[in-house]
Amino acid sequence: MFIQTEATPDPAMLKFLPGERVMREGTADFPTRADAERSPLARRLHAIDGVTSVIFGADFITVTKADDQDWALLKPPILGAIMDH
């Protein structure tokens, strides 16, 4: 699986494009770890230190990071969690 990333206007957010359908319809917002309990993938992503929020759309996953985190360090475990799912 090749996952592309796309910058957003907010530097704390990064969009991951797995090239596959993520949601059948609508979006799903997981702003906290407690909210992520209803989704195995959101739960995996929230378990990564520095991830503060996750949003699923039709063909994308947007991850928000804490301000003190670096995307260079966060991207590998995020990509791994998406691929393992």
Side-chain angles (χ1 to χ4, degrees):
M1 173 187 287
F2 178 71
I3 302 171
Q4 295 181 319
T5 59
E6 184 178 295
T8 70
D10 182 344
M13 298 175 85
L14 192 61
K15 188 183 281 189
F16 293 81
L17 305 161
E20 296 183 15
R21 188 170 264 324
V22 176
M23 296 282 295
R24 289 188 194 147
E25 57 184 52
T27 60
D29 189 8
F30 307 96
T32 68
R33 283 186 184 206
D35 294 317
E37 288 304 311
R38 58 191 169 102
S39 164
L41 178 56
R43 192 169 45 245
R44 273 188 183 171
L45 293 169
H46 263 286
I48 298 168
D49 189 40
V51 170
T52 61
S53 181
V54 177
I55 300 171
F56 295 164
D59 62 351
F60 67 88
I61 299 163
T62 300
V63 176
T64 305
K65 68 174 186 68
D67 290 336
D68 64 343
Q69 299 294 314
D70 186 342
W71 280 120
L73 298 175
L74 283 175
K75 280 173 59 173
I78 292 170
L79 291 167
I82 295 169
M83 287 190 284
D84 287 348
H85 182 72

